[in-house]
Amino acid sequence: MIFQPDRYLLKKQIAELSNFIKGRVLDIGSGPNDGRYRNLFSASDYVTLDINPDYIPDIVGSAEKIPEQDNSFDGVVCFQVLDDLKNPAKAVKEIYRVLKPGGYGLISVPQSNELHDEPHDYWRFTKYGISILLSEAGLEVVKILPRGGFLTLKSQMTIRYFIDLLNLYRKKILGRLLGTIFLIYGRTTIWLDAMDKSKANHKHTLGWLVLFHKI
């Protein structure tokens, strides 16, 4: 796996807030490998949902029309999915519907990203935009975390550019060689951003992780 600051920081943030997600949990847009972040949660029942049957999720279905009953999950997680949906507001309303009162959820969204999953790549979100989507659906924002600052954003875009330009996921030897450089570069920019408390730096981020609550 080639180091990417976005993925590294997202996993770290999810782990930081994972204790809120308990009981019967729905992972919306889980992707392959039985849910990418499943091992971070102490769920009694972890249910995966994805529209792609090749990923072999527990439920094959759309985030915009979840085939589950109202108030059926104690927790909901949805990572890097809303930007690939034609109607993200509809998906957030579905999250509200299936989440039990008192339940918590985690959503991550990009603010800056390369085009991906084309042609199904539609949206980018500020913290204000994702907060409005959640509040209009009836969900309360508890905490919202940015993923990196200006330098981290630059390193992620640079690393991603060379991954795509040189097709590094297919060129294993070259990928391993450059991967060491990317690791040092990315971790250095993460550290430098953590030191930079300026307002200018806070205007730039890769995206957001939001902890929300259904009252």
Side-chain angles (χ1 to χ4, degrees):
M1 181 64 69
I2 298 172
F3 180 83
Q4 295 187 56
D6 194 22
R7 295 181 180 182
Y8 171 80
L9 288 174
L10 178 57
K11 186 173 183 178
K12 187 175 180 180
Q13 289 178 334
I14 293 169
E16 178 183 339
L17 299 176
S18 62
N19 60 301
F20 287 92
I21 309 301
K22 303 173 182 178
R24 187 170 189 244
V25 175
L26 178 64
D27 185 341
I28 299 172
S30 55
N33 303 320
D34 199 25
R36 292 161 289 183
Y37 304 103
R38 180 179 191 147
N39 64 335
L40 299 178
F41 305 106
S42 55
S44 59
D45 183 19
Y46 196 89
V47 180
T48 56
L49 178 147
D50 203 283
I51 200 168
N52 188 345
D54 293 338
Y55 293 155
I56 317 178
D58 298 312
I59 303 169
V60 176
S62 169
E64 297 171 345
K65 191 175 182 181
I66 299 172
E68 286 287 314
Q69 296 181 356
D70 296 356
N71 307 317
S72 52
F73 291 93
D74 303 293
V76 173
V77 297
C78 182
F79 303 126
Q80 306 298 93
V81 173
L82 295 187
D83 52 306
D84 296 334
L85 301 176
K86 290 181 180 179
N87 194 336
K90 188 174 181 180
V92 173
K93 289 177 182 177
E94 280 290 273
I95 289 172
Y96 176 88
R97 181 182 67 79
V98 301
L99 186 61
K100 292 179 181 178
Y104 285 87
L106 289 172
I107 284 180
S108 72
V109 292
Q111 176 169 294
S112 302
N113 212 336
E114 79 286 348
L115 283 173
H116 59 280
D117 297 331
E118 296 177 71
H120 304 294
D121 183 15
Y122 305 111
W123 309 101
R124 300 293 181 268
F125 300 87
T126 65
K127 63 179 179 180
Y128 307 107
I130 187 61
S131 297
I132 288 172
L133 279 183
L134 290 167
S135 62
E136 287 185 346
L139 296 163
E140 178 185 48
V141 173
V142 178
K143 183 177 288 189
I144 182 164
L145 302 176
R147 282 196 304 285
F150 175 69
L151 293 176
T152 305
L153 172 59
K154 286 188 66 177
S155 68
Q156 171 65 30
M157 293 297 100
T158 301
I159 291 168
R160 187 71 232 187
Y161 171 77
F162 283 107
I163 288 174
D164 293 338
L165 178 69
L166 302 176
N167 200 14
L168 293 181
Y169 284 130
R170 293 186 178 274
K171 298 177 181 177
K172 301 297 184 181
I173 296 176
L174 182 59
R176 284 195 292 269
L177 290 173
L178 290 177
T180 301
I181 298 172
F182 293 160
L183 174 62
I184 296 170
Y185 175 39
R187 292 293 291 267
T188 299
T189 58
I190 291 170
W191 179 80
L192 289 171
D193 270 337
M195 298 298 103
D196 185 351
K197 308 298 183 183
S198 69
K199 290 183 179 180
N201 195 43
H202 291 168
K203 292 182 178 183
H204 301 273
T205 187
L206 286 161
W208 308 94
L209 179 68
V210 187
L211 173 68
F212 59 90
H213 180 225
K214 181 175 176 178
I215 301 173

